[in-house]
Amino acid sequence: MFQMMTGMINNIFFIIFPIVLYQMFAPAGKRNFFVSHRVTLTVLFSVSILLCMFFPYQFLTDDYIFDLRQVPMIVGALYGGPLVSAILFIVSALGRMVIGGDGMYIAILNQLLLAMGVPLLRPFYMRINRAGKVGFVFLITFLSFFFNLIAGYFLFGDPIHDLIDIWLLLMLNQGAITALAALLIEHILRQEYMLNSLMKHEKLETVSHFAASVSHELRNPLQSVKGFLQLMQEQEYSREKRLEFQGTMLEEIEAADQLINDYLLFAKPVQKQLEVLKVESEVEQVLKVMKPYAHWGKVEIRLAEFHGSAKILADKQKLHQALINIIRNGIEAMPDGGTLDIAIKERKNEVSIKVKDAGNGMTKEEIQRLGEPYFSTKSKGTGLGMMVTYSIIRQMGGEIQVSSEKGKGTSFTLSFPLV
């Protein structure tokens, strides 16, 4: 009995392991059995069949040896179709011929009938619900064993009435394991369906956030322009006043135009504007622009001494924009003033720019959401600045790493490959 249970458990492991292995290593969103990775799964199921055949077990009696090769054969035919079924039949037939024995021809004939018949039932199988699929695989298993029982009686004179109890138990045993394998695959497919639905929902939600953000940001300059136009229509103003109004309206239109350009940045590549830049020089130029703003906010910017000539391939204007966004956020994170430390470090194949503030800090959940549309830790922020920053760095082949602790400040590390 112990040997029988050990052999049965081994066979079950040979069947379940390829399915679990596939789920673990197949890319998320593409775990569609025998569709996305047909060759891989056919090889895994072929190995499963051979292992079941070469490690059989005795079931209740020492006169007969059984294995669960039909389980991957049936499941593979139902989910893979005729081509997969044909390959699995060839593998099982060759393996059975290597083993030999009196029941070889019956086994090969049985496998042939399964390989030919089960793929024809695949369209119906795919349409029924999970409970129906369990009953369906049970029925296929029953018919397979019934064929073996009848063939054994006519070819070898095996007494049906003496073996019927054993065969019924085998039908229940193999039918349950086949149903378990099918349910496991259905569970994985259901997870994939839910994951794909969630990804689609997130895309729609992103579009919704973008629309809300664009509407929110564009409304202010448009309302301002509309107000000035209404004033100019309602009464007469001097030429100087009209020029003043027109200048303000042009500024608001330019602000709206810049906002639209920032949103288009997510889809517009910057490769045509890339040039070789010296990192230290670009950082110093950005600091010249930001020091007055930092002084106004009582923030001291300290640039650590850097001995090197690291160069990267980047868009100068966009790199400045990304650095300004991060430095501005660091300054605004210290409303009572403080110190903003900036350091440049050169490693073997990359250079990093680290910007560290001593501000309010962020939680892990807030760090994970950085760069999402319409997410900001500031009360009046829209998240647009960080969205643009993340997009710029990624388009230039860089990476952003953020570390932060609530109440102890935040550190942004921008890494770029060296030229």
Side-chain angles (χ1 to χ4, degrees):
M1 179 64 71
F2 177 75
Q3 291 181 347
M4 181 192 75
M5 292 301 299
T6 302
M8 187 185 302
I9 292 172
N10 286 338
N11 272 238
I12 295 173
F13 174 78
F14 298 149
I15 294 165
I16 301 299
F17 182 71
I19 302 175
V20 176
L21 188 71
Y22 173 75
Q23 183 189 24
M24 290 173 59
F25 292 101
K30 296 182 178 180
R31 301 190 191 106
N32 195 345
F33 272 77
F34 292 106
V35 176
S36 303
H37 304 85
R38 183 181 296 270
V39 175
T40 301
L41 279 168
T42 303
V43 171
L44 289 175
F45 273 58
S46 298
V47 172
S48 178
I49 289 173
L50 292 176
L51 288 174
C52 288
M53 293 174 67
F54 290 127
F55 295 93
Y57 60 94
Q58 293 175 331
F59 192 84
L60 298 181
T61 175
D62 296 338
D63 296 331
Y64 292 91
I65 297 177
F66 302 97
D67 60 67
L68 297 176
R69 82 189 80 156
Q70 289 189 356
V71 176
M73 182 74 190
I74 294 171
V75 173
L78 285 173
Y79 287 94
L83 180 60
V84 174
S85 181
I87 295 173
L88 295 181
F89 164 71
I90 293 172
V91 171
S92 64
L94 292 175
R96 190 62 184 88
M97 284 189 285
V98 171
I99 295 173
D102 295 336
M104 179 181 69
Y105 296 109
I106 294 179
I108 293 177
L109 182 58
N110 187 1
Q111 294 292 88
L112 177 62
L113 293 175
L114 286 175
M116 295 174 60
V118 174
L120 300 177
L121 305 174
R122 184 172 182 268
F124 172 76
Y125 177 80
M126 290 300 178
R127 290 196 302 267
I128 57 180
N129 57 27
R130 297 178 72 183
K133 289 178 179 179
V134 171
F136 197 74
V137 294
F138 259 105
L139 178 61
I140 294 174
T141 303
F142 173 82
L143 295 175
S144 174
F145 272 100
F146 184 74
F147 170 82
N148 284 340
L149 186 64
I150 298 301
Y153 172 76
F154 284 106
L155 296 179
F156 300 105
D158 295 336
I160 294 179
H161 60 279
D162 292 339
L163 297 175
I164 190 67
D165 294 339
I166 296 176
W167 283 100
L168 285 175
L169 290 174
L170 279 171
M171 291 175 190
L172 294 175
N173 175 44
Q174 185 161 304
I177 297 169
T178 308
L180 175 64
L183 284 175
L184 181 58
I185 293 175
E186 287 296 316
H187 177 70
I188 295 173
L189 292 176
R190 187 177 182 181
Q191 283 185 324
E192 287 302 290
Y193 174 78
M194 293 176 64
L195 177 61
N196 290 329
S197 298
L198 179 61
M199 291 171 64
K200 291 180 180 178
H201 175 74
E202 288 180 346
K203 290 179 181 178
L204 292 174
E205 187 177 5
T206 299
V207 173
S208 175
H209 285 164
F210 263 96
S213 181
V214 170
S215 173
H216 176 78
E217 293 296 320
L218 286 180
R219 184 176 288 113
N220 292 333
L222 291 177
Q223 288 289 350
S224 179
V225 172
K226 181 181 178 182
F228 281 113
L229 287 174
Q230 288 175 342
L231 285 174
M232 293 171 68
Q233 286 178 343
E234 290 174 358
Q235 56 183 304
E236 291 292 334
Y237 289 92
S238 65
R239 177 177 173 79
E240 292 181 358
K241 201 67 175 177
R242 291 173 68 88
L243 288 175
E244 180 185 343
F245 286 172
Q246 290 172 3
T248 305
M249 286 189 290
L250 283 174
E251 290 177 1
E252 294 296 328
I253 292 172
E254 287 176 0
D257 182 62
Q258 183 59 45
L259 177 71
I260 294 172
N261 288 335
D262 286 340
Y263 276 104
L264 291 177
L265 178 66
F266 294 99
K268 183 174 63 178
V270 298
Q271 279 74 4
K272 293 182 180 180
Q273 304 170 9
L274 298 184
E275 56 183 303
V276 178
L277 302 175
K278 189 176 179 180
V279 175
E280 186 178 15
S281 300
E282 302 307 319
V283 173
E284 289 175 348
Q285 289 183 34
V286 170
L287 293 185
K288 288 180 182 178
V289 176
M290 294 304 298
K291 277 186 177 179
Y293 184 71
H295 180 72
W296 179 77
K298 299 179 182 180
V299 174
E300 179 188 359
I301 298 179
R302 298 187 303 193
L303 177 62
E305 191 174 354
F306 174 66
H307 300 285
S309 58
K311 296 179 180 179
I312 63 174
L313 195 65
D315 181 318
K316 186 172 184 176
Q317 180 184 357
K318 298 301 181 184
L319 177 63
H320 286 194
Q321 184 180 358
L323 289 173
I324 288 172
N325 284 340
I326 292 176
I327 293 173
R328 182 188 289 115
N329 284 344
I331 294 172
E332 293 175 354
M334 298 181 286
D336 299 325
T339 302
L340 187 74
D341 292 309
I342 301 176
I344 304 171
K345 293 183 180 180
E346 184 177 354
R347 299 182 181 86
K348 185 177 181 181
N349 298 317
E350 67 176 17
V351 61
S352 63
I353 305 170
K354 186 175 182 180
V355 181
K356 188 177 187 304
D357 65 61
N360 300 324
M362 294 180 289
T363 64
K364 292 182 179 180
E365 291 76 14
E366 289 174 335
I367 293 174
Q368 291 176 351
R369 294 196 62 188
L370 278 179
E372 288 185 9
Y374 216 58
F375 171 78
S376 176
T377 57
K378 294 179 287 187
S379 59
K380 296 183 179 179
T382 63
L384 178 61
M386 287 310 301
M387 287 170 58
V388 172
T389 300
Y390 271 80
S391 179
I392 288 172
I393 301 304
R394 288 167 182 164
Q395 287 181 9
M396 292 189 294
E399 294 182 357
I400 298 182
Q401 292 181 338
V402 184
S403 60
S404 182
E405 189 174 349
K406 204 67 176 176
K408 295 186 178 180
T410 303
S411 174
F412 281 84
T413 303
L414 313 183
S415 301
F416 300 92
L418 288 170
V419 174

